Amino acid sequence: GAVVSQHPSRVICKSGTSVKIECRSLDFQATTMFWYRQFPKQSLMLMATSNEGSKATYEQGVEKDKFLINHASLTLSTLTVTSAHPEDSSFYICSARGEGNYNEKLFFGSGTQLSVL
Amino acid sequence: KQEVTQIPAALSVPEGENLVLNCSFTDSAIYNLQWFRQDPGKGLTSLLLIQSSQREQTSGRLNASLDKSSGRSTLYIAASQPGDSATYLCAVYNQGGKLIFGQGTELSVKP
């Protein structure tokens, strides 16, 4: 099956710093990537949808200036948490979909555990 | 607004039992429904995908059914094993192009 690589798997940072998380589709071109956030014992909440070459679409309540998403190529999307605060500590997961087919499975990265001190 | 609910939230069974996990969704206008497995601190593994026109899918000991008109899906796990212990997530791909998740069922299979 298709592989989505997410890096880093775990990051600890100081409050006020910025953290970048990368999501790569290794063996297919991902026209659309999704970023999710997951708190302990809770489900995945969609943060934003990014399409290659265009601005991301953010879900209601997600601050676009805080969570910067870039999808500059068909194999790479990045999420940057700017000026991180302890309340941003969470598990972030990306997923990717191939070109145009809603009937394909979505493939997920292995997630990034962010801890802000 | 699509809402996905999973029951039960947690389940503990002895090894060898057959079990059923339930998922319901409020808007039947979906492209497909997927069942995922998530191990603690890990990403998601897709188990089964059922297209909106299908009634069920099978993979090994897993069988997923879909009744779109009633907004329900079940995941049946036969002859459960300790290695099946994980959180199982149901998600529907709605016609807005978004995958909406339920809150998951945390399964524990005791040896």
Side-chain angles (χ1 to χ4, degrees), chain B:
Chain B
K1 179 185 173 186
Q2 178 73 272
E3 293 184 2
V4 181
T5 303
Q6 289 186 247
I7 296 173
L11 182 63
S12 181
V13 300
E15 181 176 6
E17 266 201 17
N18 302 325
L19 57 101
V20 175
L21 308 181
N22 296 291
C23 173
S24 61
F25 47 96
T26 54
D27 184 353
S28 62
I30 63 171
Y31 282 118
N32 58 52
L33 181 145
Q34 283 187 247
W35 282 94
F36 294 89
R37 169 185 173 138
Q38 185 178 31
D39 293 287
K42 304 290 185 182
L44 276 65
T45 301
S46 181
L47 299 174
L48 289 164
L49 180 149
I50 310 177
Q51 308 291 0
S52 62
S53 59
Q54 296 175 327
R55 298 283 292 184
E56 67 177 339
Q57 283 287 327
T58 298
S59 175
R61 294 182 293 110
L62 304 179
N63 176 277
S65 69
L66 173 63
D67 184 344
K68 202 172 79 158
S69 61
S70 67
R72 295 173 190 267
S73 175
T74 61
L75 178 67
Y76 175 83
I77 303 177
S80 59
Q81 302 171 357
D84 295 331
S85 298
T87 296
Y88 290 81
L89 293 161
C90 161
V92 297
Y93 211 159
N94 70 6
Q95 294 187 354
K98 299 177 183 177
L99 196 63
I100 309 297
F101 284 85
Q103 292 186 303
T105 293
E106 187 173 356
L107 173 65
S108 176
V109 181
K110 306 293 187 185

Side-chain angles (χ1 to χ4, degrees), chain A residues 34 36 38 41-44 46 59 91 93 97 102-106 108-111, chain B residues 31-32 34 36 38 41-44 46 49 51 89 93 97-99 101-103 106:
Chain A
F34 303 88
Y36 292 85
Q38 186 179 35
K41 300 287 187 181
Q42 295 188 25
S43 190
L44 281 74
L46 180 64
E59 294 300 300
F91 192 61
I93 308 179
R97 190 182 77 214
Y102 289 114
N103 291 321
E104 290 181 352
K105 290 180 181 180
L106 279 182
F108 284 77
S110 54
Chain B
Y31 282 118
N32 58 52
Q34 283 187 247
F36 294 89
Q38 185 178 31
K42 304 290 185 182
L44 276 65
S46 181
L49 180 149
Q51 308 291 0
L89 293 161
Y93 211 159
K98 299 177 183 177
L99 196 63
F101 284 85
Q103 292 186 303
E106 187 173 356

